[in-house]
Amino acid sequence: MSGLEQLYQQIILEHSKQRTGEGLIEAEGKRAASNHQYNPTCGDEINLRVILKDQEEVIESISWEGDGCSISMAAASVLSEMAPGMTTQEFQALVDDFREMLRSRGTVEPDEEVLGDAAAFAGVSRFVARVKCAMLSWVAAEEAAKEASA
Protein backbone atom coordinates (compact mmCIF):
# COMPACT_ATOMS: atom_id res chain seq x y z
CA MET A 1 0.00 0.00 0.00
CA SER A 2 1.36 3.40 -0.98
CA GLY A 3 1.83 6.20 1.51
CA LEU A 4 -1.10 8.09 -0.03
CA GLU A 5 -3.39 5.06 0.26
CA GLN A 6 -2.36 4.68 3.91
CA LEU A 7 -3.15 8.35 4.53
CA TYR A 8 -6.55 7.97 2.86
CA GLN A 9 -7.29 4.87 4.92
CA GLN A 10 -6.33 6.75 8.09
CA ILE A 11 -8.67 9.65 7.21
CA ILE A 12 -11.58 7.24 6.76
CA LEU A 13 -10.81 5.44 10.02
CA GLU A 14 -10.53 8.69 11.98
CA HIS A 15 -13.80 10.06 10.61
CA SER A 16 -15.61 6.79 11.31
CA LYS A 17 -14.55 7.01 14.97
CA GLN A 18 -14.64 10.79 15.59
CA ARG A 19 -17.77 11.70 13.65
CA THR A 20 -18.37 15.31 12.69
CA GLY A 21 -22.01 16.35 12.45
CA GLU A 22 -23.44 13.31 14.21
CA GLY A 23 -26.68 14.11 16.02
CA LEU A 24 -29.48 15.99 14.27
CA ILE A 25 -29.50 19.72 14.98
CA GLU A 26 -32.91 21.24 15.69
CA ALA A 27 -34.02 23.40 12.77
CA GLU A 28 -37.21 25.01 14.03
CA GLY A 29 -37.76 28.36 12.33
CA LYS A 30 -34.84 27.90 9.94
CA ARG A 31 -34.64 27.12 6.25
CA ALA A 32 -33.94 23.43 6.45
CA ALA A 33 -34.81 20.06 5.03
CA SER A 34 -34.17 16.48 6.05
CA ASN A 35 -33.69 13.39 3.93
CA HIS A 36 -33.57 9.70 4.74
CA GLN A 37 -31.54 7.23 2.68
CA TYR A 38 -31.28 3.49 3.06
CA ASN A 39 -28.99 1.02 1.31
CA PRO A 40 -30.86 -2.31 1.23
CA THR A 41 -27.76 -4.11 -0.02
CA CYS A 42 -25.84 -3.67 3.22
CA GLY A 43 -28.31 -2.08 5.64
CA ASP A 44 -26.61 1.33 5.93
CA GLU A 45 -29.10 4.03 6.85
CA ILE A 46 -28.92 7.77 7.42
CA ASN A 47 -31.20 10.65 8.36
CA LEU A 48 -29.57 13.91 7.38
CA ARG A 49 -30.56 17.56 7.83
CA VAL A 50 -29.28 20.56 5.89
CA ILE A 51 -29.80 24.00 7.40
CA LEU A 52 -29.33 27.07 5.20
CA LYS A 53 -28.46 30.52 6.47
CA ASP A 54 -31.47 32.83 6.55
CA GLN A 55 -32.28 34.35 3.17
CA GLU A 56 -29.09 32.95 1.67
CA GLU A 57 -28.24 29.92 -0.41
CA VAL A 58 -25.37 29.11 1.95
CA ILE A 59 -25.17 25.94 3.99
CA GLU A 60 -25.08 26.72 7.69
CA SER A 61 -24.81 23.12 8.88
CA ILE A 62 -25.24 19.48 8.02
CA SER A 63 -26.15 17.13 10.83
CA TRP A 64 -27.09 13.48 10.74
CA GLU A 65 -27.80 10.28 12.56
CA GLY A 66 -27.24 6.90 11.08
CA ASP A 67 -26.01 3.40 11.32
CA GLY A 68 -23.74 1.61 8.93
CA CYS A 69 -20.26 0.61 7.93
CA SER A 70 -17.19 2.74 8.57
CA ILE A 71 -17.20 3.98 4.96
CA SER A 72 -20.76 5.34 5.11
CA MET A 73 -20.29 6.91 8.54
CA ALA A 74 -16.93 8.44 7.59
CA ALA A 75 -18.41 9.84 4.37
CA ALA A 76 -21.17 11.55 6.38
CA SER A 77 -18.59 12.97 8.77
CA VAL A 78 -16.36 14.33 6.00
CA LEU A 79 -19.39 15.86 4.28
CA SER A 80 -20.56 17.54 7.50
CA GLU A 81 -17.12 19.06 7.94
CA MET A 82 -16.73 20.29 4.36
CA ALA A 83 -20.14 21.68 3.37
CA PRO A 84 -20.84 24.49 5.88
CA GLY A 85 -20.07 27.86 4.32
CA MET A 86 -20.58 26.63 0.75
CA THR A 87 -23.32 28.00 -1.45
CA THR A 88 -25.80 25.40 -2.63
CA GLN A 89 -24.29 25.70 -6.13
CA GLU A 90 -20.77 25.10 -4.82
CA PHE A 91 -22.07 22.18 -2.82
CA GLN A 92 -23.77 20.63 -5.86
CA ALA A 93 -20.49 20.92 -7.80
CA LEU A 94 -18.69 19.14 -4.95
CA VAL A 95 -21.28 16.35 -4.94
CA ASP A 96 -20.92 16.01 -8.71
CA ASP A 97 -17.11 15.73 -8.43
CA PHE A 98 -17.39 13.19 -5.61
CA ARG A 99 -19.92 11.14 -7.59
CA GLU A 100 -17.72 11.21 -10.71
CA MET A 101 -14.71 9.99 -8.70
CA LEU A 102 -16.70 7.18 -7.07
CA ARG A 103 -18.25 5.99 -10.32
CA SER A 104 -14.93 5.95 -12.16
CA ARG A 105 -13.81 2.52 -10.90
CA GLY A 106 -10.44 4.05 -10.11
CA THR A 107 -9.89 5.83 -13.43
CA VAL A 108 -10.46 9.37 -12.13
CA GLU A 109 -7.66 10.70 -9.98
CA PRO A 110 -9.15 12.82 -7.17
CA ASP A 111 -8.32 16.52 -7.07
CA GLU A 112 -7.47 17.08 -3.40
CA GLU A 113 -7.76 20.84 -3.87
CA VAL A 114 -11.42 20.37 -4.79
CA LEU A 115 -12.38 17.30 -2.75
CA GLY A 116 -10.29 17.80 0.39
CA ASP A 117 -10.70 14.83 2.75
CA ALA A 118 -13.37 13.40 0.43
CA ALA A 119 -10.51 12.39 -1.88
CA ALA A 120 -9.78 9.67 0.68
CA PHE A 121 -12.69 7.71 -0.79
CA ALA A 122 -10.98 7.32 -4.18
CA GLY A 123 -10.08 3.70 -3.39
CA VAL A 124 -13.74 2.90 -2.75
CA SER A 125 -14.43 3.42 -6.46
CA ARG A 126 -12.69 0.13 -7.24
CA PHE A 127 -15.28 -1.74 -5.15
CA VAL A 128 -18.67 -1.27 -6.80
CA ALA A 129 -20.60 -2.67 -3.83
CA ARG A 130 -19.08 0.01 -1.55
CA VAL A 131 -19.79 3.02 -3.78
CA LYS A 132 -23.37 3.21 -2.44
CA CYS A 133 -21.98 3.21 1.09
CA ALA A 134 -19.85 6.27 0.38
CA MET A 135 -22.60 8.05 -1.56
CA LEU A 136 -25.43 7.49 0.93
CA SER A 137 -25.03 10.67 2.98
CA TRP A 138 -24.01 12.71 -0.06
CA VAL A 139 -27.25 11.78 -1.87
CA ALA A 140 -29.25 12.61 1.27
CA ALA A 141 -27.53 16.00 1.55
CA GLU A 142 -27.98 16.71 -2.15
CA GLU A 143 -31.74 16.07 -1.89
CA ALA A 144 -32.11 18.00 1.39
CA ALA A 145 -30.18 21.01 0.02
CA LYS A 146 -32.44 21.13 -3.04
CA GLU A 147 -35.55 20.96 -0.86
CA ALA A 148 -34.30 23.61 1.57
CA SER A 149 -33.52 25.93 -1.36
CA ALA A 150 -36.94 25.54 -2.99
Side-chain angles (χ1 to χ4, degrees), residues 127-146:
F127 305 97
V128 177
R130 304 314 299 262
V131 168
K132 285 185 180 181
C133 300
M135 281 301 302
L136 196 68
S137 59
W138 291 66
V139 170
E142 178 181 41
E143 293 302 316
K146 286 176 186 175

Side-chain angles (χ1 to χ4, degrees), residues 65-77:
E65 57 187 15
D67 188 36
C69 69
S70 60
I71 290 172
S72 66
M73 298 296 98
S77 177

Side-chain angles (χ1 to χ4, degrees), residues 29-65:
K30 295 187 177 192
R31 288 181 63 203
S34 298
N35 189 271
H36 174 262
Q37 294 290 318
Y38 175 68
N39 183 351
T41 306
C42 64
D44 291 354
E45 190 168 11
I46 193 157
N47 290 310
L48 185 141
R49 181 170 294 141
V50 172
I51 298 175
L52 300 180
K53 291 185 179 179
D54 291 334
Q55 307 305 317
E56 295 181 46
E57 296 298 312
V58 175
I59 295 172
E60 180 178 305
S61 68
I62 291 182
S63 60
W64 57 275
E65 57 187 15

Side-chain angles (χ1 to χ4, degrees), residues 95-114:
V95 171
D96 292 342
D97 288 342
F98 188 68
R99 182 178 281 124
E100 178 186 7
M101 176 189 72
L102 284 177
R103 290 184 175 169
S104 76
R105 295 194 178 207
T107 62
V108 172
E109 194 67 31
D111 183 345
E112 290 183 40
E113 292 292 317
V114 173

Side-chain angles (χ1 to χ4, degrees), residues 19-37:
R19 299 174 180 175
T20 301
E22 188 174 33
L24 287 176
I25 295 173
E26 196 57 45
E28 193 172 320
K30 295 187 177 192
R31 288 181 63 203
S34 298
N35 189 271
H36 174 262
Q37 294 290 318

